[in-house]
Each structure stands twice: as C-alpha cells, then as structure tokens.
Amino acid sequence: MQKKINDFVINVATVNGSGSQSANTILIKSLFRMGIPVGGKNIFPSNIMGLPTWFVIRANKNGYTCMKREYDMVVAMNVATVLDDLKSVNPGGVFLYNEDLKVEASLLRKDTLNISVPFRKLVDQATDQLKLKKLLANTIYVGILSHLLDIDYEVLISVIKDQFADKAAVVASNLKAIDVGRAYAAENLTDTLIGDFPLKLEKMNKTQGKILIDGNTAAGLGLVYGGCTFASWYPITPSTSLVESFARYANRYRKDKDGKNTFAIIQAEDELAAICMVLGAGWSGARAMTATSGPGLSLMAEASGLSYYAEIPTVIWDVQRTGPSTGLPTRTQQADVGFAAHLSHGDTEHILLFPATPEECFEFGQTCFDLAEKFQTLVIVMSDIDLGMNLWITDEIKYPTKPFERGKVLREEELKQMPQFLRYQDKDGDGIPYRTLPGTHHPAAGFLTRGSGHNEKAQYTENNVQYQTVLDRIVKKFETAKKHVPKPIIETQVGAKVGIIAFGSTHWPMLEARDILKTQGLATDYLRLRAMPFSPEVHDFIKSHERIYVVEQNRDSQMLKLILMEYPQYATRLISIRNYDGLPLDAVRISEPLLKLEKSS
Amino acid sequence: MQKKINDFVINVATVNGSGSQSANTILIKSLFRMGIPVGGKNIFPSNIMGLPTWFVIRANKNGYTCMKREYDMVVAMNVATVLDDLKSVNPGGVFLYNEDLKVEASLLRKDTLNISVPFRKLVDQATDQLKLKKLLANTIYVGILSHLLDIDYEVLISVIKDQFADKAAVVASNLKAIDVGRAYAAENLTDTLIGDFPLKLEKMNKTQGKILIDGNTAAGLGLVYGGCTFASWYPITPSTSLVESFARYANRYRKDKDGKNTFAIIQAEDELAAICMVLGAGWSGARAMTATSGPGLSLMAEASGLSYYAEIPTVIWDVQRTGPSTGLPTRTQQADVGFAAHLSHGDTEHILLFPATPEECFEFGQTCFDLAEKFQTLVIVMSDIDLGMNLWITDEIKYPTKPFERGKVLREEELKQMPQFLRYQDKDGDGIPYRTLPGTHHPAAGFLTRGSGHNEKAQYTENNVQYQTVLDRIVKKFETAKKHVPKPIIETQVGAKVGIIAFGSTHWPMLEARDILKTQGLATDYLRLRAMPFSPEVHDFIKSHERIYVVEQNRDSQMLKLILMEYPQYATRLISIRNYDGLPLDAVRISEPLLKLEKSS
Amino acid sequence: MSELEAKPVSTNNKLGLAKSDYLGGKSTLCVGCGHDSITNSIISSFHASNISPYDVAKMSGIGCSSKTPGYFLSKASGFNSIHGRMAPVSTGAKVANQKLITLGISGDGDTASIGLGGFVHLMRRNVPMAYLVANNGVYGLTKGQFSATSEKGSRSKAGGSNPFSMIDLCSLALDVGCTFVARSFSGDAKQLVPLISAAVKHNGTALIDIISPCVTYNNHEGSTKSYNFYKDHKVILQELGLILPEQEILADYDPGSTTRVDMPDGSILTLKKLALDHDVTNRWAAQQLVHESNSRGEILTGLLYIDEKSQNFLQTLDLTERPLSELGETETRPSAQVLSDIFKEYR
Amino acid sequence: MSELEAKPVSTNNKLGLAKSDYLGGKSTLCVGCGHDSITNSIISSFHASNISPYDVAKMSGIGCSSKTPGYFLSKASGFNSIHGRMAPVSTGAKVANQKLITLGISGDGDTASIGLGGFVHLMRRNVPMAYLVANNGVYGLTKGQFSATSEKGSRSKAGGSNPFSMIDLCSLALDVGCTFVARSFSGDAKQLVPLISAAVKHNGTALIDIISPCVTYNNHEGSTKSYNFYKDHKVILQELGLILPEQEILADYDPGSTTRVDMPDGSILTLKKLALDHDVTNRWAAQQLVHESNSRGEILTGLLYIDEKSQNFLQTLDLTERPLSELGETETRPSAQVLSDIFKEYR
Ligand SMILES: Cc1ncc(C[n+]2csc(CCOP(=O)(O)OP(=O)(O)O)c2C)c(N)n1
Ligand SMILES: Cc1ncc(C[n+]2csc(CCOP(=O)(O)OP(=O)(O)O)c2C)c(N)n1
Ligand code: SF4
Ligand code: SF4
Ligand SMILES: [Mg+2]
Ligand SMILES: [Mg+2]
C-alpha cells in the first residue's frame, strides 16, 4: 500500500481538562518545524473539565490547512465518544485507542487499522507521581505518534524544551513519556505486527518565514502595535483570549520609561458597561476598543446607536460563536454579520471589517482605530472562533509603518484660526465633521455631546429640518467611507464566468475548494470581502459575473442579503452556499454544493 | 370670498406644561361631536414644562384626517416660536396671536388675516384665581375659536362637562372662560372689524358609530380583552401611555369576584429586566407582554434571541419614535422595523405585526398572544407615535369573540396518552413543537429550558447534527407562520399598473395620497402589510405589478429591504418613498415624489 | 453526585418519594467543585421537605453554578436562562404561576456583576423564591477572572491581587430590604440543608450566599474562597434545625439557647446559638455583624436575618388565586357591555 | 437660572473669571425644579474653586436631572449620554484623559434602577469623579413614576403608595466601598457648594445624594422628597467649609468643635459639628447613622464618610502621566525588534 505522505488528518479525541492541549500543541508544532504546512482545530466544549474535546491536525504538503472532516487517523482517549470517534475514521484509516476504554472487539471496524494501546501501563512506566499520570498519558500518545508518523526526534525534543522553557522537571518528565511512547511503538506497533501503517511525515521547507498562530493572539498583538490605549471588556468565550493577548503583550511592551502603562485594560461589570466605557474613552480621544461575542454584541446595541449618532470613535471586536442566544459558545459561525451591520434601533449603519487571517487580525488592530477615528463612528471587526482560536500558518507579520490616522480633531491652535466651529457640519463636503476633544482650552471647543436630536451646532433640537440635516450628512459620510475601507481582494482564473464572494475564515476552505473546482473543470473568480460598506470593486465584480456564489457560515444567508440590499439590481445573480453546524468550514462543503448548483443552472 | 367649510387645518402653538392639552381636546371633541371627521396631532417636546408644543387639528369632510402641514389657521400663544409659526400659515390663512407676545406689527404678513387677542386682559375677566390664569388662557382661545368657526355651543358645553365630569368648579370656570372668549370674539372679531374670516364648521353626520381614540389607549384595551395577564415594562415615551391604558382598564375590569387582580403589571428596573420577566411569565404559561420604544428595544436584543431559540411565547409592543439613539423621543418614525425583524445576534427571526388603526391596535392586543403562543416565539407589534399617541377616528370596535389560541401545550392528561414527549421535535410536520408548562404533574413533563445548544429532547448538546436539526426546524415553523399571520389588506383601482406597499400609520396619508393620484390620472393598487413573515399574498401582489412603491417612515428604506430579502427576484420593481423628519406623514409627501418618479419611469 | 449515588437511598419521604427521585443528570463540573455539594444539599432539602419535584421551578443564569439545575430534580421544570438575568426571569415565572416553588441558583459573576440590578430589585420587591448564590469569587466558566465578591487583596491563581472593594452580598441584601439573608458554605450540608428548606418556605426573597470553592481557579493559597481559607476562618453563628409541621417538637429544643422562627407553612426554624449572640430579626445589627466579622477576616455563616411578616410581591400585586397562566377567556375577557360603556369616553 | 442672572456677577476668581463665565444655557426644567438649584451650586462651586471650565467634563445619563449639564459651564465639554450609563461612560472618559475634572450628574431613576450596576461598580473601582444624584424619588422626565429611592409607603401624586423597599444611595455607597459619601439638599447652597467643591477634589469617587424636589410630580403631601417634607424633617450634620490652599486658615476654626480633612490638592475641608457627633472616617458608623436617622424619619444631610488615603482607579491602572488620548505612534508602537522577538514563540 502506498503511504500518505504529508497529507492527512489526525483527530485526537480526549476529555477536556485532562491536559491534552499541551500534548496537541507539541504535535502540531513539531510538524510545523519539520517544514510541513499544518493546521489545528480545537473542538472544545463549553465546560471546564470532563466533556469531550477534539483536536484535529491537518498536515498538507500543498498548504491546505483548513478543516477537513475526513480523518485518516483517530486517537481515541475518551470513553464517552469512542464509538462515534471510531465511526469518524476514513475507510483504510487508523483507529488508535486506549485499551483501558475497553472497546469491545466486535465493535471494531474491519476497514480500519485498529491499534490498541495500554496507556495506563505505559503511564506507570513514565512516572510514579499520581498527579502527573493523567497529563503524561497525553505525552505518551505524542511519543507513539512520533514514532508511527516519523516525526523528527530532534524537532520534537526542541519543541518540548521550548514549550516548558523554564521548568526543567516538566521537560524531563515529558521527554521520559515521549520515550516510553516511542519505545512501546517501536516494539509493538511495527508494520509486521499490526499491518501496514498508512501515514508518514517527511521534512519539507514550506514553513520558513512563517508562524503558527491563532487570530486572537495576532489581534491582541495588532492592538499593541495599532496604538490601542484603552480596552474594556466583559469575559466571554471566544473573545477572552483576544483581550488576554493584548494584556500580555501590553504589559510587556507598553510601559513608559518609568514603567508606567501606556494603556488601560478594564474588566467591566457587563457588556453594557464595557461599550459605554469605550464610548467615554473614544469621546476623550483615546484609541479604545472592546471585544465580545454574540450575547455581548446584543447587549451593546443601544450604545452602538449612540456611537453612530453622536459620532464617537468606537471599536468592537466580535469573535463570533454559534448562535442564536447562548448557542454553542465554543463552536464557530458567521451569524452576527447581519445584526452587526445595523446594530441598534433607528436608522444606523456601522463599518464592519472581516479579517480572514491572523496577519489580517494583526493589521486590523490598527485599521479599526484608523477608520473609527477618521469616520468618528463604530467599527466592528467580525472575527470568529475558527479564525480567532485555531492555529493557522501565516506569513511572519511585517512591521507596521503606516502612521495612525487620528481624524479631524481640532486643537486649540486650529480653533484660533477658525471663524467658527460647528461640530456636526459638513465642512469639507465629505460628510465627515470636525470634532474637538474635552479639555481643549478654547472658548469654541466645548459642546454637549448627546444622543438626542441635535443640529449642526451640536445644540439640542426637535426641529425636523435641523434633525434631518444631520442624519442625511451621516449617509454622505458612509459614502465617503466606501472609498477608504480595506478593498476586497480579488483572485481570478482564466475563463471564469462564475464569481464567488466570501469573507473571514471561509477564505481558507475557499482556496482549497477553488482548486477542487478547477480540477473538476470549473474556473472561478473569487472576491474576498474585507469591509462594509462595500467598496466600488464589489459592484464591479458582481456586475462582471453571470452567477455569484456567496459562501458564508450562517443559516440565513446574511451576507448575501447585505449584498442584495446594496446592489438590488443584481439580485438574481446571487446564490447562497452556507454551512452553520458549528464546525469549522471545509472545502467540500463549498465545492460540492457549488458544483451541484452549477450543473442545475 | 368663499369660506372653507369643514375642510381646514388649525395649528395651536403653545408652551408645554401650560395646560393647553385639555383645551385642545375640547376643541377636537367638539368637532367630532358635530359629526365632522377630525384628526389631532400632538407635536410635543421631550420635556415637562416650557418648551414649544403644537396641536394640529384637521377637520375634513371627506374623512382625510391625517397630518397636513399646510395650516389654514395658527393660534400663536408661544413667544419662542411665534415668528416661525407665523411663517407656517397658508397664504390667505388666519394668524391669531396673543397680543401679550408683542409681535412687531412690521413682522406681520400681508397675505394672512392677522388677529391679535389681549389674552391677559381676557383671563382677568375670566378668573381672579392666580393659579388658574395660565390654564384658562387656553380655554379662552377655545371660546374665541368656537365663535369664529361656528362650533355648536351645546356640543361645546357637553364636551366640557364630560371632560371635567366630577369637578363642578372646574366646569364652571371653564364655561366662564369660554363665554369670555366668545363674547370678546362676538364683539371684536366680526368680519367687518377684522375682514372676512375664511373658515367655518357645519354639523355633519360622519362620526356616528365611530370613536376618537389614540392607538395606545386602544392597544391597552385590546390587551385587556386579549387575555393579557402579565405586563412588565420600564417607562419610556411613547410606550408609557399604552401600559397606562392597560393598567387603567385592567384595574377597573379585570378583578375576580373577590376583587383580586387577574393580571400583574410590573414596573421593571430596566428594559432588560422587563423582557426577561415576560420570558419567565411566558415560560410559565401566561399571556405576557412588555411595551417599549427604540432604546428599550435595543436593550431587549439579547433576551429576544433567547425567546426565539428556546421557543418561549413573548410579546413586545414597540411604539416607535424618531431614532437613532435617544433621538427625538416625542417624534414619530418607523425606523425600528429592520432591526426588530432579526433582533439579536445569530440567526434569528421574529413575527412582526403592523397595526395601522386604533381598531387594529385593539385587535392585535389579542392577536399578538395568539401568535406568540401558537408559534412559541417572540411577536413584536410595531406601532409608532403617530398611531399610538395621536387621536384618530375609528369605527367603534366590535366585541371580540375569537377564542384565544394557546398553542400546543401538553397537560398531564395528554402526556399520559403519549409514549414520549420531545420538547423540540417536529411532531406534526409544521415545525411547531409541543411544550409543557412548569408545574405539570407528570414524569415526562419536566425539562430544562435553555438558550444554549439543545437537541430535540431539550438536552444540552454541542453535537453539530443535533444542533442543526433544531435550528432548521425553526425555519419550518416560520414557513408555517406565513399562513397564519394577519394577511395584508389589498385595495385595487381599475387599470392600476402601479402597486404601493405601506404599513402602520402610513396608511392614512396613503388613502388621501391615492385619491390625489387618481385625480392626477394615476390609478394605483395598494397593499397594506400587517405582518412579517410575509404571507403569500404579498408575493402575488408584487408579481402582478410592474412597479411597486414602498412607502415608509425611515431613512434607510428598511421595509423595502425586508421585502427585497424575501423576494429578490423582484428587486428591480421596488422603489422607495420615505419621510423621516419626525413629523407625522402627510399625503403630499407620498403623492408628489410618487408622481415625479412615475414620470421619470 | 458520586457521594449521593454511593449512599443507599432507602427512606421514602411523606410523598412516598425516595431521595433518588430528587436526583438530576450527571454533573459536568470539575471533580471537587463546591457547586456539586450545593446540588447535594438541594436534593436532601427537597426530599426532606416533602416537596414534589413537579411543583418546582429551577431557575438559573449562566455560569458553572448556573448549570447545576441540570444536576438535581430532573423531574422538575427548569430555566437555565441568560447571563445575569435569573432574577427577572424568575420574577416573571413566579408571578405567572404563584404555585411554583421557585429555587434559583446563580453565580457571583451572574449576580454581583452583570446581574446586580436585577438582584437588588428582586429583593426590593420581595419576590417569594430562594435565591442561592454559589459564590466562588471568580468567573469559573470563563476561566477564573476575579468577580466582584472577591475580597480586596485576595490573590488570583496567576498571582495578581484584587484591587477593588468587595461586594458583600449579605450586607448588600440587608441594605436593600431583603427579608431572609443567610451565608453558608457548600461543604456544610448540616447547615445548608435546613437553610435551603427554610429559604424555600420563606414568605419572600431568601438569599443564601454560599461560599463554594472553585477547585480549578480559586482554591490556591491567597484565595479567600478556598477550602482551606474557609476551614481556617469559619465562624458558625448557629446550629440550625427545621421542624416540619407534622413533626413533634424535638426534645432537645432549649428555649434558653435556642430561638425559634415560625415559618409560613407552620414549620419551625430553630437557631441554637453557637459563636455569638445575634438577634436574627434585627436587620441593622445583622449588617454590622457582617462588617465586624469581615473585618476580623472571618467567614461568618448562618442565618443573619429573617422577617416572616413582610408583604411579599404576590401580595403586593394582589393576585387572584388561580395562576395567571391558567386564566382563559372566561376569566379575562370583560363583557361586551363593558366595552361599549368604555367607548362613551371616546365620543 | 433667573436667580443667578439677577445677581450682579462682580467678583472674579483666581483665573480672572467671573461667575458668569460658569453659566450655561437657559434651563428648560420646570419652574421651581430642585435640579436648577443644583445647577446654581455647581456654578458657584466651580467658580469659587478656580477651576477652568475648559478642564471640566460634564457627564450625565438621561432624565430631567441629566439635562442639567446644558445649564452650567457652557465652555466645558459634556456628554449627555444614555439612560443609566453615566458611570461607565465617565469611567472611560476619565481614564482616557486623567486631566479632565469629571463631574457627573444623574437622576435617581438613572442611578438606582437602570444604572445600578454601573453605579456600584464605579464606586468599587474608585474612579476619581464627583457623582451627583439629583434625587427626587420619581422619574421626572417620564412623568412621575416611583423610583427605587422612594421610601416605602410614600405616596404618589395619583395617591398610590410605594410598596417596595427604598434604596438608600448613601448606605449602598458605603456598603460597596465608596470613599466619599454625602447627602445634601438642592436648596441648601451653603452646604452643597462646599460639598461639590470637596467632591471634585476628592481622590476617588465622591457621591453626593442630593434630595432635589420635583415640583411637578413629587412635591405633594405624602411625598418624602418634597420641599415641605425636607423642611420638616431635615437634620444637618455639620457646617461645612472649604479652605483653598492659597487661603489663610480662617479665624473661627475651632479644633474642639471642628474636624478638618486634608484634601489631595492641599485644601482643607472643615466640618463643624451641628446635630450629632460623627466620625466621618468611620464607614460602618456612617452607615448605622444613616439607618438610625432614616428610621427616625429624618433627612440627614452632610458629609457622612470620607477617605483620602485610598487608591483610586487611575493609580490602580498605573497609568503613564500623559493622557492616553494624547499618545501616538511614538509612545505606543513597540519596535520591529520586539515584534520579531515575539514571533519566536510562534514557530
Ligand atoms: C452576556 C454574556 N456575557 C458573558 C458571558 C460569558 N460568561 C459565561 S459564564 C460567565 C461568568 C460566570 O461566573 P459566575 O456567575 O461566578 O459562575 P461560576 O462559573 O463561577 O460558577 C461569563 C462571563 C455570557 N454567557 N453572556
Ligand atoms: C433605555 C431607556 N429607557 C427608558 C428611557 C426613558 N426615560 C427617560 S428619563 C427616564 C427616567 C428619569 O428619571 P430620573 O433619572 O430619576 O431623572 P429625573 O427626570 O427624575 O430627574 C426614563 C425612564 C430612556 N431614555 N432610555
Ligand atoms: S471551573 Fe471552578 S466553578 Fe467551574 S466547575 Fe470547575 S471548579 Fe466548579
Ligand atoms: S418634571 Fe420634575 S424633575 Fe422634571 S423638570 Fe419638572 S420639576 Fe424637575
Ligand atoms: Mg463564580
Ligand atoms: Mg428622578
């Protein structure tokens, strides 16, 4: 049998709280350091200890590292899911399971290579310390896999040493466990004893200049470099790790010469407070943000309208999870986009950004403030769990050199030159008014910001004409914004008549799906949305394709509808492809329905 | 000069808190009792005392009683707005102003009949009591108008007596003031002295079998008759008077034989609590509602998603005001519809009802619960200030005889007959599951309601297939709902190629606008939406017209977009007409743009 | 749960139900989590109090603590609502069906941060329900951030020190008019079981602030909500007993050292003085006691305050006897005559 | 406003500003509304304290009370935000620019109902700002519903009686760690002006709960927040004085009857005993005092508690000296080297 080399998927099924995460990180990092493109999906429960969790590692020499739901190998360590896990193995794949789970032999499949490992015994060899046993069982499967798959031993050791950098004892016990696993495998899991092992890794050089990082970590770093000085948030999965990343790096690298902080991070009492603190800080002139997920976004609705109407720079990072309501807090979806676009009662509109890669998460860490301050409005960055919390290979991020855009802020000096200052006037014809910050020492600077009706002078009004003048100007401001938000990225193929629009974490399976489609003879052009309001390029793309597939991760075709509202003239060209079951999107869930729809079109 | 008889608009400009409201009510009621179709618009400030307020009375023999912004007469009692008020009079109209405002004669218009009245002097004649003086100034202008316009004296007296029913002293002082006004007018405001007075009222019989009522009062009554047993709300203009109406009538007519209440009304600590109380009560099985306006609706977003996903009967009455944010709390708009339709993060959808008349406000007082309980979901009734707080002529409401629909609730007896009960299963193929209420004495009855992932058995799940099964069934439920929500009302004209869609308070100016259009040679068909999701009739209407004008009171064409999302195939037929300056919509703001658009089409 | 499962459940209560009839699903909390002990005490209390699970509404918000309604009384209905909203959801549920015996369990994050407004206003209204807070000083489910009930200066697992004033739920409850205020410890079933039983019988809102250690995020040295800290700093105010109406007055009830409180259903709550003299009917004395005890670094547990004479929310609302949820056209729709009378006003 | 406009504004303060430089727009509140008197006292205080209006941030929520920032210090910036959110908006504004002298004015509805959570957590954090509540016991702007600060049993204009426990903002503030707690009356400028001045100087959150009658909805017989009720039930705790750093110690300062509190800017707050002995540095004594006084049916006004030694929120955050709002690339963007160092972790 031909072995699959550098092209397979392993799913490790464990119990959460058992410490498997660090073992899985060792596995995936080892592959990365071997130069093999790799991706990791952490399918974890909304719970602290005892519920099923899976870690899916995909090695792919061609660089397809997104989700793939067909597993070439399953490592089954969880008695609660072992039978389902068994079913999830590809025919011809490997089912390696813990002997202690006592899977009845009769239940084992004929079309898989079944490997039973006596973990308890092996753990006893690896350590005497009771409290380490559970943990080291995980390291032992790493050892076994490293042997079976041919993970470079040097690399593996280096990863373990780096992982537990300061703790020599931990390194030692893990190395011991690795060796126990490897020794067991070498002795008992040879091809002669168990049959041909079908998977194999080989060193490559495809990860040079790259890093393996999740979107939330990159976003936190991006905020550090993007000049974020104020973050207020209420803990909620999966946004917490974004703020934690900002906190970690800010605490290290954002001290002034006296060791004082050039940032503030506030754990608010709820999301209503979190967004209101950001509004206050934005009003004072800081680059301020909050991070949240669905339920928190809902709670921010009222204040979002205030940001829009009083024109206060505000930033929300919404790391989307599966809704509605509490939903599946640890599963992914892109189902807040419709709600976010017009968050709040009344006529409102917000700038949305859609990062698709950790690199873009980093970049948008500055872009979000540049846009919020330039347009004096709310910017919502729409990430999701797949992007935010899973490990992605990304080019090492370039050092940002773009200066901050702080928008039209009038200081004392400028005010002195001006005959008058009207806070909500369209002075420049671009719909963007000027603002002053509190604390400005000039008689014209002060005004009372409010969410109630106001005229161009920022005075309270109930007058219908004055009210409408301000509201209409804001429309103009958003027209201007179309030309300044990040443009979509368009990739074409020769002869393509079909266009595809997608955004966010859908990007990665899309790359693979388009290659599949091409193999099947279907050339496609691809527009990746990066922002709303849509830039003119989106229009041109739709105009120039007969059929447009809008691929997204929600039930109700939310993005398709947003596109429809902007370009009703092309309504009949738009076709929806969706996945919304909470698992990260994979390529076949795009290519198969698309091909089917193409055939019937 | 020909007098305008039973067809003119009077605007009374006063200061709020001065007690003009009761004077204006006397005026409008008198016209009503004279059998003349009449409508009243209270354009009041978001303030308790001292800001400008206007009351616009329109008498129209043809029954057009909606807003008209061209005033045939202005009564100017407010020094702050007197010059603007002067501008607002139609050429040839009457400008009656308080002499004490000291309007410079040079500022008076040549093309209006200007009448100056020495109110202070007259008040002194009417009363010695200092604290009555301010109030009675208003009654005096009623007296003057009654003479000038020929208001039936008997009728006027009867109205005043009814208005101050229990208070003989108040009746007396008001009658005195009326007489002072009438006497002054009779003596000083004769045609010979001031010139031809151009307006005149004559008795008709067009208000028989009708009542004059605002939508909020009718809604409160409708809730009483609709079986509402639970109302929880947080005060907010303009929803407060709706709850007050419910409270007033419930306290009178909803006592059991021991004088105990068959209802509960709770002033909540905020809107988050209000909606959550309703959810709790709906879960327990009560017909429960809350009322609010824009900012409150925003605060209800999170819980709305819980209602949707956990499938709990819930009702919100959203009396819309001008947004965004705090906006103009006492001005009207229909700008929450887009937000309300998919309120909450994640994939959600709600049933919306759009009452257009006080009669319908009453009717929907039952319909909202029938639908909420039948479909186990959130129903949002979208009223607005114009409908809710202004006075409308409406047919006397028929006594409701339709039984309450309580939906698929399983009691102990039914459970006994069933092999099993699965809370979230589609047993009947209509997408509507069965529910039990807490307190049901049967072993199968109990389950844990939750907004987190659940399977058909109502068990917690993170399983992608089980999760999606439930979410997809809800889509089916809403498909079923399309056939059960109130159907649109369609009015056709011979030869019409143009269709118009509108909803809510837009209905009244629409009637007038269509007549104007017809006079101008344009026949139109008209569909008045009464609910979302849209029933099949909406589709058929759109399909059968070349151009569809969607008329609504918001900036962003929100309803047009909702229609677009449902029927993208007709995208290019939909044309938007909007008014959103906060004032009640009038006919010419529909007919003029429509004609213009027709000409260019 | 394992503890319970191990015990032979032999004795049936007055309803003929075994303790096993009060169990719930298997807990998915961490092994050793204080919340599981609260679950056990709830089971014991409801069994001992002869309450039919069918009559119970189990309410919660979101958090590890709010998951517990899944782990007891599986025959009862429950509502695991949204974060911080247990109080209003429960208010609605109870008012709509006053017959429901309403037991709420919330976390310190759920109650003292996002849910603070609802919590306070529930107590102001005196909605009849038992409100249990499983107080671990952290947000367990979101992995261990400090909550507002953490003491100033207490240490996080990562080593940080909490710089903010603590919200003492008992003191706060006393301040805003709560009519039953107690503190307990999740592991002290002897105290907790009668407290829960009394709370459920109480004529209004009954708060029990239960210190309930989070073994995963807040059970370390420097935490003031750990098992060890409790052990070293506990002061138990009274020995509690609950005598059901059908039971004989127990022999060892000594009026000298023991106070009795008559509960609305005829039960008697007995309080045998242990640590200190304290009059449980004196609200402000109770509040001072809490402050003093806190300032000595103690964890004072027991019944702090009780008032069985106050007017509860259902009484305030003056509700008809049948649950509102059961009212139909007959009870709620006034006559046609009434309607036409009403319209006279509008002509 | 009319009162002020009538007075000749002659004396300039240290900044050379006349009192008229501290005026705002014309009030649109009801004639006689207590809130307008608060406005006047704010104007007097800021003028007397030599604060430049340019340095001030005027914060509020929504309500009649929250409109007042429009009526004073029109040269200052202000933020009339949304209902119940003054506390978090102010927190953000102050943290982002610590140089702003932050004065918040809210209503009892704004603070004790919808804004309760934010109010409590602001005090827990000890955000430096003066937090004034214009407390009239009703929702003025929505036409007179009871608020949560209404006394149990107090009567509405329509005749109803409030059945719910009152939230006493001072007692609550003391309970959750507020470091400056005072009660006053809108009409008592003599007390209110120095209190506001001290609150603004205070090293943390300073609450002043100001009874401020609503003449339109809560000034009738049976109201406990009316002008008459105040007049008949007032007890004034101290006579307050504020000595600015540059002023001489006043001659009549008698250490026997007068306590002094040193404010962070070198000013001295003097408290001359009037009604009772009270140690303003004893938190729990202050709380008891409030309870006792309440139970006697009094309205006790004065400074109840002050602590100038606590750590405020800016100190907790350990902020750089320049306002965060002023930091640009130079101050916030770490080097390229740092970035590539960081990435080592991710390989
Ligand atoms: C609106 C909203 N915000 C945030 C969250 C995330 N969240 C879930 S549980 C929790 C805190 C739980 O803390 P606590 O109530 O103390 O319960 P514990 O887990 O400690 O028992 C938070 C913040 C949420 N579910 N909903
Ligand atoms: C979210 C929201 N809910 C309700 C309202 C309506 N509202 C405006 S002011 C107010 C209460 C004001 O009471 P208070 O704070 O005591 O101020 P007062 O008018 O008495 O000075 C309410 C409920 C609102 N503006 N926003
Ligand atoms: S994380 Fe803490 S609170 Fe949550 S289950 Fe584990 S021990 Fe309990
Ligand atoms: S209603 Fe009351 S609070 Fe509002 S302005 Fe008038 S007196 Fe003041
Ligand atoms: Mg907790
Ligand atoms: Mg108030």
Side-chain angles (χ1 to χ4, degrees), chain C residues 12-15 17 19 22 41-53 55-56 101 192-201 242-247 265 267:
Chain C
N12 285 2
N13 66 10
K14 282 233 148 191
L15 304 176
L17 297 176
K19 203 157 173 181
Y22 291 80
S41 286
I42 292 171
I43 291 168
S44 300
S45 159
F46 278 73
H47 178 249
S49 299
N50 304 310
I51 294 171
S52 163
D55 291 328
V56 178
I101 293 167
L192 191 51
V193 172
L195 269 182
I196 294 172
S197 304
V200 165
K201 293 171 190 301
L242 192 84
I243 305 169
L244 297 179
E246 64 273 16
Q247 290 173 325
D265 71 343
S267 307

Side-chain angles (χ1 to χ4, degrees), chain A residues 29 32-33 210-213 217 221 224-225 227 229-230 248-249 252-254 256 259-269 272-273 276-277 279-281 283-286 302-303 306 312 362 366 396-404 406 437-443 445-452, chain D residues 52 54-60 62 67 69-70 74-83 85 87-97 100 114 117-119 121-122 125 313 316-321 324-347:
Chain A
K29 278 222 164 176
F32 177 85
R33 290 202 191 166
K210 301 201 187 267
I211 53 175
L212 187 68
I213 196 168
T217 302
L221 254 178
V224 168
Y225 280 81
T229 53
F230 187 98
R248 184 165 67 247
Y249 292 112
R252 274 193 222 156
Y253 302 115
R254 286 283 293 281
D256 71 7
K260 300 271 183 190
N261 296 324
T262 61
F263 64 95
I265 299 177
I266 306 177
Q267 181 183 318
E269 55 273 27
L272 299 126
C276 284
M277 287 182 196
L279 252 72
W283 177 76
S284 270
E302 192 198 8
L306 176 60
I312 298 168
F362 180 93
Q366 172 173 344
E396 196 165 296
I397 295 161
K398 271 181 281 304
Y399 184 69
T401 51
K402 199 173 160 239
F404 298 164
R406 305 300 303 256
L437 301 181
T440 305
H441 278 234
H442 188 279
F447 66 96
L448 190 58
T449 301
R450 64 180 104 228
S452 47
Chain D
S52 163
Y54 299 145
D55 290 328
V56 178
K58 308 177 289 184
M59 315 301 289
S60 69
I62 294 286
K67 289 182 178 185
S74 54
K75 294 209 183 78
S77 294
F79 197 155
N80 176 196
S81 66
I82 44 179
H83 193 35
R85 311 292 163 212
V89 171
S90 302
T91 302
K94 177 72 181 176
V95 169
N97 183 352
L100 292 174
I114 190 167
F119 172 60
H121 286 271
L122 177 91
R125 295 191 183 98
F313 191 44
T316 304
L317 290 171
D318 201 19
L319 293 185
T320 187
E321 216 167 298
L324 295 177
S325 56
E326 289 180 11
L327 306 182
E329 293 89 338
T330 334
E331 297 84 8
T332 64
R333 197 182 261 167
S335 70
Q337 186 53 47
V338 162
L339 192 61
S340 60
D341 283 354
I342 289 171
F343 287 142
K344 290 194 184 124
E345 215 185 299
Y346 297 99
R347 264 189 239 115

Side-chain angles (χ1 to χ4, degrees), chain A residues 302, chain B residues 234-236 271 295-296 299 321, chain D residues 35 62-65 83 107-110 114 136 138-142:
Chain A
E302 192 198 8
Chain B
Y234 188 70
I236 187 166
E271 288 87 349
L299 290 175
R321 61 192 216 183
Chain D
H35 304 352
I62 294 286
C64 294
S65 33
H83 193 35
D108 43 327
D110 205 56
I114 190 167
N136 53 17
V138 289
Y139 292 10
L141 192 52
T142 55

Side-chain angles (χ1 to χ4, degrees), chain B residues 39 43 90 133 195 200 219 292 330 342 360 366 393 473 592:
Chain B
I43 317 287
N90 273 349
K133 290 193 188 254
K200 191 173 150 36
T292 192
T330 55
H342 299 274
E360 235 165 30
Q366 172 174 343
I393 283 194
R473 181 193 39 74
E592 282 187 2

Side-chain angles (χ1 to χ4, degrees), chain B residues 26-85:
Chain B
I26 293 168
L27 263 183
I28 194 169
K29 278 221 166 179
S30 300
L31 271 61
F32 178 85
R33 292 201 190 166
M34 284 175 73
I36 306 163
V38 67
K41 305 291 172 198
N42 189 7
I43 317 287
F44 60 105
S46 175
N47 188 61
I48 306 301
M49 191 187 284
L51 284 187
T53 188
W54 295 268
F55 194 80
V56 180
I57 296 172
R58 181 175 184 192
N60 185 284
K61 55 178 182 280
N62 303 315
Y64 303 133
T65 59
C66 64
M67 184 66 172
K68 194 172 169 197
R69 295 199 192 171
E70 294 72 36
Y71 308 137
D72 299 292
M73 176 171 188
V74 166
V75 179
M77 304 289 286
N78 182 358
V79 66
T81 61
V82 62
L83 296 182
D84 281 336
D85 292 333

Side-chain angles (χ1 to χ4, degrees), chain D residues 239-256:
Chain D
E239 189 178 309
L240 293 165
L242 192 84
I243 305 167
L244 296 180
E246 64 272 17
Q247 290 173 321
E248 293 288 307
I249 299 286
L250 295 174
D252 67 352
Y253 162 45
D254 158 22

